[in-house]
Amino acid sequence: MPASLKDVARKAGLSPATVSRHMNGTLELPPETRARIERAVRQLGYRPNPHARRLSLGRSDTITLIVPDIANPFFATLAASVERTASERGMIVQLHATSNVEAREIALLELATDNRADGVVFCTNRRPSPDVATAMAALPRVVVVDEAVPGARAPQIYADNAQGGYLAGHHLAGWGHRRVAYMGGGQALMSTRQRAEGLERGLRDGSGGETVAVRVMSGQHDVASGRALATDLLDGRDNATAIFVGSDEIAIGVIETLRARNVRIPRDMSLVSFDGARALHLYDPPITAVRQPAQRLGARAVELLLDGDWKDQALPDLVEYLPVDLIERASVAAPNTTRNDQPEPDRQRSVTP
Amino acid sequence: MPASLKDVARKAGLSPATVSRHMNGTLELPPETRARIERAVRQLGYRPNPHARRLSLGRSDTITLIVPDIANPFFATLAASVERTASERGMIVQLHATSNVEAREIALLELATDNRADGVVFCTNRRPSPDVATAMAALPRVVVVDEAVPGARAPQIYADNAQGGYLAGHHLAGWGHRRVAYMGGGQALMSTRQRAEGLERGLRDGSGGETVAVRVMSGQHDVASGRALATDLLDGRDNATAIFVGSDEIAIGVIETLRARNVRIPRDMSLVSFDGARALHLYDPPITAVRQPAQRLGARAVELLLDGDWKDQALPDLVEYLPVDLIERASVAAPNTTRNDQPEPDRQRSVTP
DNA sequence: CTGCTTTAGTAAAGCGGTTTAGTAAATGCG
DNA sequence: CGCATTTACTAAACCGCTTTACTAAAGCAG
């Protein structure tokens, strides 16, 4: 139904090849001929069929973005940034959610391969098996963002987790905290290791030689996990005076649980979050957090896909850590020394749902 | 480089037509032949080229989702839901952001047309000119979600704005409020009208005959606008005792401004939000809000695209309002009657940034 | 006027599927 | 056994664009 190149060519009294080449700028034409083509295009309302183009060219002018969950504000922000950057460069983005399921991660990578995606931005929250790296290997251009994929030969862009942990640790130490719990994704995750390591280092650096303790607790990056971990922490006879959480989702679960247990932040427990993209400044109390550069992660990934030197054999070895910063709000205070003495009695079950 | 249908056919000793028809289930084949094809497919790692398929078929098994802003939690949630529903049905989704710019709305609708999208879910925050409806007319299947597009002949799915307004109004009236400000998108927006109308009706219904007043203030659905509108409200000699906002983004701006001006919620000013998808229960104070069914909006839209009876001439006239509900939290209280007497003196500029 | 270069295009072969309209061989039936 | 039917497949056109290799005509130099 819509006009094809052939129609335009006929109307302009030319061959399809000529019109095609003119439209792609691979052929100089005298002004008069050019005008004839342009008139025909206008009159017929011609719009090239992108599928034909993609088939012929073997590429798609598409960037595929694979994330665990689109509704998660961190990934939503990242996605928005990828979309903006890509569309400024004339690329379409195709967005897919894995729900953190490996089979879907692989299926979506294969889909991107089938679709001849010009670039793929891959994010996961898990530590994927080597099969994921294998699926990745079929793609000409992938960049791994936010969490490592073992075995993948692809440039990687991360938030500076170690620095984030360090900032949190140092800040907490400054308030007198010596024992803090880190709640994040799985133990094996690069982000968990880096943040826990940074946390401990920051804590130590800020504690002037005193003994410090970091307890690494792991779960998933979701609210339910935050609740469970917080419950574990409170139920165990642990004497952590502060919690550093690996994502806002966990933070939410933790806050809910502390509140339900009448453990006040920051009086009874200090909290530092690893900020996705939420309005933590409006929370009660405003939550001190390490802010991740979600937008820059996305923008940088696209930039690398489009402008990186992919002929360079060394490109896949590139690892970038984008800087994070600590936003001090009101969820950190000096440890409450009274609490440990009477652990059960002063914890009343709250009525608030 | 990758194997094509022809390669498979050759390896199986058959014609491409046979293999194609077998793979699409349009040809019954004896088990032995079938096995030969399947073996060839496996050995060659054959995966059909989707671009060729789309070119040939003239469709793309794709659903295009067009939203103002992906990072906005409401649209992010909607997008997640569209993506999930669509991919369960074997459809790919293509996500695009308009930034609320009409030229982009149109360009993206045209892009969807070019791409032979099987369905389009269109969301806007503005009141688009008829050109948008025109661009839409070229598409075989569109559904309009969340805000009306004048002149569009397409089924529409909305949150029940009037009911949301009513619930908010009735709730506020119950606490004794008689004058409330509504802060939303433009005056011309369907959502604005419906919510304001519902608000007034609810207020009236809950006020036992007393006079009620609704002041409709409009801006954009973003934080900056919330700040500006709240400033306007406070600076004007208005005696509204409660604010009903049209989106969480506006709510955030409003809360920030009230806080900066030392106007306490709910003591000095009550607030009800129209909830996107944020953790309002953790805010200070927890924000009472009308909850929009973002997920159901998305799921229903996809359902309609894929299962609707599009031969039915009446389908484009379909308008559905999905139910909303009011979540009562702590941002509404009885109006503070003292405040009007001494408007300026008790408003101190806070130090908090 | 001849031969060479430039100009202005074009023919045709892909890209990799789908589909319509068949055909050749095998089978069933009377 | 001859004819109709069924089974098992296929030839070839088509979807709409790109690109390589080429040609015909015009322009130009000598």
Side-chain angles (χ1 to χ4, degrees):
Chain A
M1 198 66 205
S4 75
L5 194 65
K6 213 190 290 184
D7 300 326
V8 174
R10 191 175 322 122
K11 184 142 202 154
L14 293 165
S15 80
T18 306
V19 179
S20 172
R21 297 189 54 196
H22 168 251
M23 300 200 73
N24 291 311
T26 59
L27 183 61
E28 263 325 284
L29 246 26
E32 197 269 330
T33 313
R34 207 179 309 165
R36 248 159 58 221
I37 295 182
E38 262 132 43
R39 181 150 29 82
V41 165
R42 212 169 329 105
Q43 286 178 1
L44 295 171
Y46 170 69
R47 318 208 94 222
N49 180 322
H51 300 307
R53 184 161 216 279
R54 297 200 254 255
L55 172 59
S56 184
L57 254 27
R59 68 181 153 81
S60 60
D61 296 309
T62 288
I63 284 182
T64 295
L65 171 60
I66 300 175
V67 298
D69 175 17
I70 302 167
N72 178 312
F74 172 72
F75 291 114
T77 305
L78 185 99
S81 166
V82 166
E83 208 270 348
R84 183 171 349 102
T85 314
S87 73
E88 275 165 8
R89 308 284 301 270
M91 295 270 146
I92 289 177
V93 0
Q94 216 136 4
L95 176 64
H96 304 281
T98 63
S99 308
N100 266 320
V101 171
E102 175 149 320
R104 266 192 67 70
E105 292 180 345
I106 294 173
L108 290 172
L109 286 166
E110 290 174 346
L111 186 65
T113 310
D114 294 345
N115 276 309
R116 274 56 171 179
D118 297 291
V120 173
V121 179
F122 184 86
C123 306
T124 184
N125 260 342
R126 312 174 318 107
R127 173 159 250 255
S129 85
D131 294 352
V132 171
T134 306
M136 244 174 225
L139 286 157
R141 296 184 178 200
V142 207
V143 4
V144 167
V145 170
D146 188 52
E147 181 61 70
V149 175
R153 271 215 91 225
Q156 292 147 272
I157 308 178
Y158 305 119
D160 192 338
N161 294 302
Q163 171 70 357
Y166 185 89
L167 291 172
H170 201 268
H171 180 66
L172 287 167
W175 280 91
H177 295 274
R178 296 297 177 262
R179 336 186 115 266
V180 357
Y182 173 73
M183 300 178 178
Q187 305 262 15
L189 258 41
M190 183 199 69
S191 61
T192 298
R193 293 174 184 285
Q194 292 180 338
R195 290 176 198 173
E197 178 277 319
L199 176 67
E200 185 160 357
R201 197 157 37 81
L203 219 43
R204 218 179 310 111
D205 276 13
S207 299
E210 288 182 41
T211 338
V212 301
V214 168
R215 172 170 173 197
V216 178
M217 304 177 73
S218 54
Q220 315 257 335
H221 284 293
D222 56 35
V223 174
S225 214
R227 286 196 274 251
L229 291 170
T231 304
D232 276 10
L233 184 72
L234 294 179
D235 285 348
R237 288 199 130 280
D238 203 292
N239 40 14
T241 58
I243 305 174
F244 177 39
V245 300
S247 66
D248 289 344
E249 289 63 49
I250 297 180
I252 288 173
V254 168
I255 297 170
E256 288 176 358
T257 303
L258 295 188
R259 209 173 264 188
R261 300 279 211 114
N262 240 17
V263 176
R264 284 147 302 177
I265 307 173
R267 227 188 88 153
D268 305 325
M269 183 68 81
S270 288
L271 179 67
V272 177
S273 183
F274 216 86
D275 183 10
R278 292 178 189 258
L280 297 183
H281 65 298
L282 298 181
Y283 283 33
D284 180 22
I287 306 295
T288 293
V290 174
R291 188 172 46 192
Q292 291 195 84
Q295 307 194 28
R296 292 177 57 193
L297 286 169
R300 181 70 185 123
V302 173
E303 212 176 285
L304 217 52
L305 286 175
L306 300 182
D307 301 329
D309 177 9
W310 290 83
K311 270 152 264 158
D312 183 353
Q313 293 298 319
L315 189 64
D317 301 324
L318 178 71
V319 180
E320 281 182 15
Y321 292 97
L322 303 190
V324 300
D325 48 9
L326 180 77
I327 315 289
E328 296 181 27
R329 288 189 276 243
S331 60
V332 174
N336 181 349
T337 45
T338 70
R339 196 182 143 254
N340 293 325
D341 307 326
Q342 21 173 290
E344 281 310 324
D346 71 352
R347 261 163 30 201
Q348 300 153 19
R349 195 145 250 125
S350 151
V351 196
T352 323
Chain B
M1 201 64 207
S4 75
L5 194 65
K6 214 189 292 184
D7 300 325
V8 174
R10 189 172 326 120
K11 183 142 204 152
L14 293 164
S15 79
T18 306
V19 178
S20 173
R21 297 189 54 197
H22 167 253
M23 300 201 73
N24 292 310
T26 59
L27 183 61
E28 263 325 284
L29 246 28
E32 197 268 329
T33 312
R34 208 178 309 165
R36 248 159 58 222
I37 294 182
E38 262 132 42
R39 181 149 30 82
V41 165
R42 213 169 328 106
Q43 286 178 359
L44 295 171
Y46 170 69
R47 320 207 92 222
N49 180 323
H51 300 307
R53 182 161 218 277
R54 298 199 254 256
L55 171 58
S56 183
L57 255 26
R59 68 181 154 79
S60 59
D61 296 309
T62 287
I63 285 182
T64 295
L65 171 61
I66 301 175
V67 298
D69 176 18
I70 301 167
N72 178 311
F74 172 72
F75 292 114
T77 305
L78 185 100
S81 166
V82 166
E83 207 271 348
R84 181 170 351 101
T85 314
S87 73
E88 275 165 8
R89 309 284 301 270
M91 295 270 148
I92 288 177
V93 0
Q94 214 136 7
L95 175 65
H96 304 282
T98 63
S99 308
N100 266 321
V101 172
E102 175 150 319
R104 268 195 63 74
E105 293 180 345
I106 294 173
L108 291 172
L109 286 166
E110 289 173 347
L111 185 66
T113 310
D114 294 346
N115 277 309
R116 273 56 172 182
D118 296 291
V120 173
V121 179
F122 184 86
C123 306
T124 184
N125 259 342
R126 313 174 318 108
R127 172 158 251 256
S129 84
D131 294 351
V132 172
T134 306
M136 243 175 225
L139 287 158
R141 297 184 178 199
V142 206
V143 4
V144 167
V145 170
D146 189 51
E147 181 60 71
V149 175
R153 272 215 89 227
Q156 292 146 272
I157 309 178
Y158 305 119
D160 192 339
N161 294 302
Q163 172 69 357
Y166 186 90
L167 290 171
H170 201 268
H171 180 66
L172 287 167
W175 279 90
H177 295 275
R178 297 297 177 261
R179 336 186 113 265
V180 356
Y182 173 74
M183 299 178 177
Q187 306 262 11
L189 257 42
M190 182 198 71
S191 60
T192 298
R193 293 173 185 286
Q194 291 179 339
R195 290 176 198 173
E197 178 276 320
L199 175 66
E200 186 160 355
R201 197 156 37 78
L203 218 45
R204 219 181 306 113
D205 277 11
S207 298
E210 288 183 40
T211 339
V212 301
V214 167
R215 173 172 172 195
V216 178
M217 304 177 74
S218 55
Q220 315 257 335
H221 284 292
D222 57 34
V223 174
S225 215
R227 285 196 274 250
L229 291 170
T231 303
D232 276 10
L233 185 72
L234 295 178
D235 284 347
R237 288 201 130 280
D238 204 291
N239 39 14
T241 58
I243 305 174
F244 177 39
V245 300
S247 66
D248 289 343
E249 288 64 48
I250 297 181
I252 288 173
V254 168
I255 297 170
E256 288 176 357
T257 303
L258 295 188
R259 210 174 266 189
R261 300 279 211 115
N262 240 18
V263 177
R264 284 146 301 178
I265 307 173
R267 225 186 91 153
D268 305 326
M269 182 69 79
S270 288
L271 179 67
V272 177
S273 184
F274 216 84
D275 184 8
R278 290 177 191 259
L280 297 183
H281 66 298
L282 298 181
Y283 283 34
D284 179 23
I287 306 295
T288 293
V290 174
R291 188 171 46 192
Q292 292 195 82
Q295 307 194 29
R296 293 177 57 193
L297 285 169
R300 180 68 184 123
V302 173
E303 211 176 287
L304 216 52
L305 285 175
L306 300 181
D307 301 328
D309 177 10
W310 290 82
K311 270 153 265 160
D312 183 354
Q313 292 299 317
L315 188 65
D317 301 324
L318 178 72
V319 181
E320 280 182 16
Y321 291 98
L322 303 190
V324 298
D325 49 9
L326 181 77
I327 315 289
E328 296 182 26
R329 289 189 275 244
S331 60
V332 175
N336 181 349
T337 45
T338 69
R339 195 181 146 255
N340 293 326
D341 306 325
Q342 23 174 286
E344 281 311 322
D346 69 353
R347 272 185 354 222
Q348 300 154 20
R349 196 144 252 126
S350 150
V351 196
T352 323

